[in-house]
Amino acid sequence: MSDHKPDVSTFTVDPKYLTKDGITGLARELTTKEKILEAARLHPVMATLLIMGGLATILRFTFGLGTVTNLDDNNPWGIWISIDLLCGVALAAGGFVTSAACYIFGFKKFHSAVRPAILTAFIGYALVVFALNYDVGRPYRLPYPLFWSQGTSSLLFEVGLCVFLYLTVLFIEFFPAALEWLGLKKIRNVVHSLTIVLTIFGVVLSTLHQSSLGALFLIAPSKVHPLWYSSYLPVYFFVSAICAGLSVVIFEGMLSHKYMHAKMDKMTIEEHDGVMFGFAKAAAFVLMGYFFIKWVGVAADNNWHYLGTGYGAWFLVEVIGFVFLPAVCYAIGYREQNPTFVKVAAVWTILGIVVNRLNVSQIAFNWQLPSDLRYFPHFWEIVVTAFIIGLHVLLFRLIANRMPILYTHPDYADHDEDVAEPAHGGGH
Amino acid sequence: MKRRSFLGLVGAAGLGASLAPAAAQAAGNTHFTGYKDSFGVVFDATRCIGCRKCEAACQKVNDLPTPKKPFDDLSVLQDHRRTDAKTYTVINQFANPAAPEGKTFHKFQCNHCNEPACASSCFVKAFTKNPDGSVTYDASLCVGCRYCMVACPFYVPTYEYDSALVPKVQKCTFCHPRLEQGLLPGCVEACPKEAMLFGKREEVLRLAWERIRSNPGKYVEHVYGEHEMGGTAWMVISPIPFAQIGLNEGLGVTPAPALTAGALGAVPIVVGLWPVLLGGLYGINTMRERAVKKEKAEAVAAAKQETQEAANAKLQDELKKAEAAAQKKMDAEIKKAVDEAVKAKVAEMEAAKGPSEGDQKEAD
């Protein structure tokens, strides 16, 4: 079995990293500089993102937010909050959704999806915190609310506390993969035995901060358009985060299968369709539930008359176009066992989450201000957001290419299934 | 370790909910209407002439940077301005055909809420509602998240966007340091028309209503800020509807902390109940799995036993049959042997006795 361990015991130099030495004519390994240039040549988009991101970072920390953002005294939160924080956290919900499904709700067939989902979530949350360093004025004080001066009446305090704790939980949940990679069997087994407790802890913390992100806006009823402002905001954010989490697991599986197939073991590949259709079915139900409770909010505040306005039309686009229709698409995909429908629905739902978070925090926010006082993101704000997304992809690939994420480490195949074997042998 | 961290979270979340002022009031059945004897100001829009003397005084007493256009340049009144990190108060001009000059002015500054949204929303307690009525900010705690700016219904807090590493939130302080010295706020002191009525909040509120009642038709019958967002220290009386001097009439009377009390109150409930529910689900699933396993094992054992028994029975049967067959065979053999022996004996005897044998046979 152990000869299937991909990449842990053997090291060979890929021929493409070898070049003829100019003097001796012998093949030699590339220098670090050459490796970087080669990587940049192979991945021009990523290289551009990293360079531009670096530039934006320098600008932000030398000239301040005034130079790199379009934020002002009326519009204190831009897309770094709307996308990097609100969407980032919602889309990282796949971690708690998948681990809860597998370990608590007993869907053992989803086991192979847990590690990639946990990794995606861990990187996601880590990058949310990383991105906050750009947005807050004094990033070096980010630990203040936790350890120095606790503003317990603030929803943001709850968000901060839960994100901090959940990031810790995700790190511990992810830790076994790193320990297996490092070959530290004993610690790994101790950490692994915490799985159930950590999973429950993760669901509690996720419930709290996912909903609290919606609850952040409860304090500003006069600024958020009535169709989006509702005392149910926390519930909406939590339920839609579940849809986001399920969709991201499907989406991540779709990308991994396309680009990292060689890293997967037999079990991951065999379980993939089951995970996809299982999650599709769940997503169809949850989205439909979400669709109905959105109307409960409209009815509870008697906001029907707003539906006839421009904002009303946009609300209908969101609720029908980005909630109801993807739910139907998922349902058809599940019933017909059609992967294309499921994948389309996953991307659709993810877009829907982005639309919703942008609506609550930007489009419906400050809706009464004249249009010349409204916010539109600055070029560098978009750059930083794209940079963060690029970092996510880069980190996922770096880790999943090295650690046992998409396959079960043969020494630790401790679940009910037979020992998994890499489908295509080890390595690239 | 897991138990300890769990208890820690319960404690933190419980604390969060119990310290939220609104939640405590909801439970206490009291209605907070501001600190007793706190100061208040009523801005009388019928008196303001838009001279900007208050703006100049504000800049002076707060050591704020000198603006590009001097304070006696009244052309800026044409634009609808707001405060910024270098300006704590501005006067804006609005059209009012009924007024002698055809215009009415509004002074914009922090309203110093009884229960401020900024203080409620701040996750490091950088804002304080002081007993003198002022709402002040402590830059030494501020992280710069700008949630106070999102939360404030009056768009008051401003931010030093041009500072890369040490930006501060800026807003009117009600001249809190001056109040402590027994001095009037800079703007109030500078006003040549006494457009700002300063005193104990309850007192100036009473005076405001007196003005409204004793001058029928001169004012809109409402003191803006008496109840808006739970009440503010700075209030406005106006000759024209408040929306026409740039004020939001749709704020409601709910103080900011009450808006988030429900969501905060749900936290300890989730922390308390989720582990029970999820643990229960996990337990149910484990139990079911174990039961299935057990049933399976039992079924296998039963089937095994049945097979065993059947095999045994068959074996017994076969053995019996074999025994019987052997017995039968043996009997047959014995009989055959006996018969043969008898026949042989008979033959022998017949041969020996000869005729006498035949006689004997006949006699039988």
Side-chain angles (χ1 to χ4, degrees):
Chain A
M1 274 303 116
S2 59
D3 57 346
H4 288 303
K5 258 197 248 182
D7 266 3
V8 280
S9 52
T10 57
F11 174 74
T12 52
V13 178
D14 193 309
K16 76 176 177 234
Y17 293 126
L18 291 174
T19 184
K20 294 268 179 158
D21 187 291
I23 301 161
T24 62
L26 294 171
R28 67 172 171 84
E29 223 180 307
L30 293 178
T31 63
T32 314
K33 192 182 158 193
E34 283 166 335
K35 272 186 200 165
I36 291 171
L37 286 175
E38 176 68 9
R41 196 183 61 76
L42 289 170
H43 306 284
V45 176
M46 185 65 77
T48 315
L49 275 182
L50 293 180
I51 292 167
M52 294 296 279
L55 211 55
T57 309
I58 294 168
L59 288 174
R60 153 68 184 89
F61 289 105
T62 47
F63 298 105
L65 292 175
T67 304
V68 289
T69 71
N70 277 342
L71 299 176
D72 59 37
D73 292 328
N74 292 325
N75 302 286
W77 284 358
I79 58 165
W80 292 349
I81 294 295
S82 301
I83 296 194
D84 303 11
L85 175 67
L86 298 183
C87 294
V89 168
L91 296 174
F96 95 87
V97 170
T98 313
S99 52
C102 177
Y103 296 125
I104 296 177
F105 293 86
F107 293 103
K108 294 264 164 73
K109 289 275 170 222
F110 297 159
H111 194 277
S112 64
V114 172
R115 271 213 181 157
I118 292 283
L119 176 63
T120 309
F122 175 54
I123 299 172
Y125 276 88
L127 286 175
V128 163
V129 176
F130 177 73
L132 279 180
N133 284 280
Y134 287 78
D135 187 77
V136 303
R138 304 184 190 222
Y140 48 90
R141 282 186 182 170
L142 272 176
Y144 271 29
L146 299 171
F147 304 112
W148 185 243
S149 178
Q150 293 85 356
T152 46
S153 63
S154 171
L155 259 317
L156 198 59
F157 171 76
E158 198 198 324
V159 171
L161 179 65
C162 289
V163 168
F164 165 71
L165 289 175
Y166 189 46
L167 186 58
T168 314
V169 167
L170 279 172
F171 176 71
I172 305 173
E173 284 187 306
F174 160 74
F175 210 33
L179 291 170
E180 286 169 19
W181 180 57
L182 295 168
L184 300 169
K185 211 163 186 172
K186 268 188 189 163
I187 315 175
R188 181 263 176 209
N189 288 341
V190 171
V191 178
H192 190 78
S193 66
L194 297 172
T195 301
I196 298 302
V197 176
L198 287 174
T199 305
I200 290 179
F201 218 41
V203 178
V204 171
L205 293 168
S206 295
T207 309
L208 292 179
H209 71 259
Q210 294 286 2
S211 57
S212 293
L213 285 173
L216 284 180
F217 294 91
L218 287 180
I219 205 162
S222 61
K223 293 186 178 177
V224 181
H225 190 281
L227 282 172
W228 282 273
Y229 185 89
S230 164
S231 52
Y232 296 119
L233 262 176
V235 183
Y236 292 160
F237 267 55
F238 176 61
V239 176
S240 58
I242 294 174
C243 306
L246 293 165
S247 303
V248 166
V249 170
I250 295 172
F251 183 65
E252 176 271 314
M254 182 177 130
L255 291 185
S256 292
H257 270 263
K258 193 161 177 192
Y259 298 108
M260 303 185 79
H261 198 79
K263 279 280 156 191
M264 296 183 164
D265 63 16
K266 201 162 137 247
M267 189 182 80
T268 306
I269 288 162
E270 277 174 359
E271 283 186 10
H272 177 253
D273 279 5
V275 169
M276 190 172 66
F277 289 119
F279 275 44
K281 188 179 180 185
F285 274 106
V286 183
L287 273 171
M288 216 40 124
Y290 177 57
F291 175 71
F292 282 111
I293 61 170
K294 283 293 271 186
W295 291 112
V296 172
V298 176
D301 295 330
N302 198 13
N303 283 331
W304 301 105
H305 61 285
Y306 285 108
L307 291 177
T309 65
Y311 276 100
W314 182 237
F315 180 80
L316 290 175
V317 168
E318 181 195 319
V319 173
I320 293 173
F322 287 98
V323 179
F324 181 74
L325 291 181
V328 171
C329 190
Y330 264 133
I332 294 172
Y334 173 73
R335 196 189 60 181
E336 306 293 326
Q337 296 283 296
N338 182 330
T340 311
F341 270 79
V342 173
K343 288 169 186 172
V344 167
V347 175
W348 201 347
T349 307
I350 290 170
L351 282 177
I353 294 299
V354 176
V355 167
N356 171 257
R357 298 309 191 255
L358 276 176
N359 276 347
V360 173
S361 61
Q362 298 297 345
I363 293 164
F365 187 81
N366 274 342
W367 68 289
Q368 284 167 313
L369 285 189
S371 57
D372 60 319
L373 293 181
R374 298 295 301 274
Y375 160 88
F376 190 83
H378 192 279
F379 169 73
W380 289 111
E381 289 183 82
I382 298 169
V383 167
V384 169
T385 294
F387 169 60
I388 301 287
I389 296 168
L391 277 184
H392 194 134
V393 175
L394 186 69
L395 286 174
F396 186 91
R397 290 192 57 134
L398 280 178
I399 294 174
N401 265 324
R402 282 159 182 78
M403 298 184 191
I405 303 296
L406 300 172
Y407 61 94
T408 306
H409 196 295
D411 293 355
Y412 304 91
D414 53 2
H415 43 86
D416 291 347
E417 303 293 329
D418 292 338
V419 176
E421 293 175 41
H424 301 272
H428 306 273
Chain B
M1 170 189 168
K2 18 186 184 174
R3 199 171 70 107
R4 199 182 314 147
S5 51
F6 170 72
L7 290 175
L9 182 79
V10 174
L15 207 66
S18 62
L19 290 185
Q25 279 154 36
N29 199 23
T30 56
H31 177 44
F32 182 72
T33 52
Y35 282 114
K36 190 108 184 93
D37 288 338
S38 65
F39 292 115
V41 171
V42 171
F43 172 78
D44 188 336
T46 62
R47 297 195 175 194
C48 179
I49 53 167
C51 67
R52 297 186 72 204
K53 292 245 170 22
C54 53
E55 288 186 31
C58 178
Q59 181 255 328
K60 202 176 150 207
V61 301
N62 290 300
D63 289 324
L64 296 172
T66 318
K68 275 179 210 149
K69 285 187 179 172
F71 286 109
D72 54 11
D73 179 354
L74 298 186
S75 66
V76 295
L77 296 173
Q78 306 300 326
D79 305 321
H80 189 86
R81 296 178 300 154
R82 62 152 296 146
T83 57
D84 57 40
K86 294 164 184 164
T87 323
Y88 294 171
T89 187
V90 292
I91 297 286
N92 280 317
Q93 178 184 307
F94 298 90
N96 177 11
E101 307 246 337
K103 50 204 175 190
T104 291
F105 302 91
H106 171 246
K107 180 176 178 291
F108 180 89
Q109 78 294 307
C110 175
N111 289 329
H112 302 276
C113 303
N114 289 342
E115 297 177 67
C118 54
S120 171
S121 66
C122 181
F123 71 163
V124 285
K125 291 194 288 194
F127 288 95
T128 312
K129 173 73 179 177
N130 301 297
D132 65 7
S134 62
V135 178
T136 50
Y137 160 81
D138 180 358
S140 74
L141 294 173
C142 182
V143 181
C145 72
R146 306 185 297 285
Y147 186 32
C148 52
M149 300 167 71
V150 168
C152 178
F154 302 107
Y155 292 91
V156 165
T158 68
Y159 190 73
E160 296 176 338
Y161 282 105
D162 291 328
S163 171
L165 295 170
V166 287
K168 292 194 285 287
V169 167
Q170 296 284 12
K171 70 169 199 69
C172 158
T173 63
F174 205 161
C175 281
H176 174 66
R178 285 170 63 86
L179 290 182
E180 283 191 324
Q181 294 168 34
L183 299 169
L184 284 173
C187 54
V188 174
E189 195 179 68
C191 183
K193 304 298 284 185
E194 292 184 349
M196 282 165 276
L197 201 55
F198 175 89
K200 295 279 153 69
R201 182 179 187 265
E202 285 169 18
E203 181 66 13
V204 293
L205 185 57
R206 198 176 54 74
L207 289 171
W209 275 111
E210 241 172 59
R211 272 190 202 173
I212 294 172
R213 287 200 191 98
S214 51
N215 297 285
K218 189 178 176 188
Y219 296 98
V220 173
E221 288 195 18
H222 181 78
V223 178
Y224 189 93
E226 180 180 7
H227 299 298
E228 271 75 11
M229 294 304 290
T232 57
W234 280 66
M235 296 164 279
V236 181
I237 49 176
S238 167
I240 47 175
F242 296 95
Q244 291 176 26
I245 55 169
L247 297 175
N248 189 342
E249 291 180 332
L251 295 182
V253 296
T254 312
L259 294 165
T260 53
L264 282 168
V267 172
I269 299 299
V270 169
V271 175
L273 284 184
W274 252 222
V276 178
L277 288 173
L278 297 169
L281 262 176
Y282 173 69
I284 290 167
N285 275 320
T286 324
M287 215 166 67
R288 189 184 291 153
E289 252 168 48
R290 236 183 266 143
V292 167
K293 237 180 223 169
K294 201 177 153 202
E295 263 171 36
K296 216 170 162 184
E298 277 172 0
V300 169
K304 218 168 157 187
Q305 202 183 344
E306 210 171 275
T307 320
Q308 192 79 46
E309 272 167 14
N312 279 347
K314 203 176 170 192
L315 190 66
Q316 290 296 327
D317 205 38
E318 290 294 323
L319 271 176
K320 257 184 216 159
K321 267 190 205 159
E323 218 169 88
Q327 192 67 42
K328 212 173 160 189
K329 202 175 173 189
M330 208 191 278
D331 288 349
E333 289 293 325
I334 291 169
K335 203 179 166 213
K336 201 175 158 195
V338 170
D339 283 355
E340 270 171 19
V342 171
K343 260 185 201 165
K345 196 75 186 166
V346 170
E348 196 185 301
M349 281 170 76
E350 268 176 7
K353 282 180 188 172
S356 63
E357 180 79 7
D359 297 343
Q360 206 178 332
K361 251 188 184 173
E362 276 161 30
D364 288 342

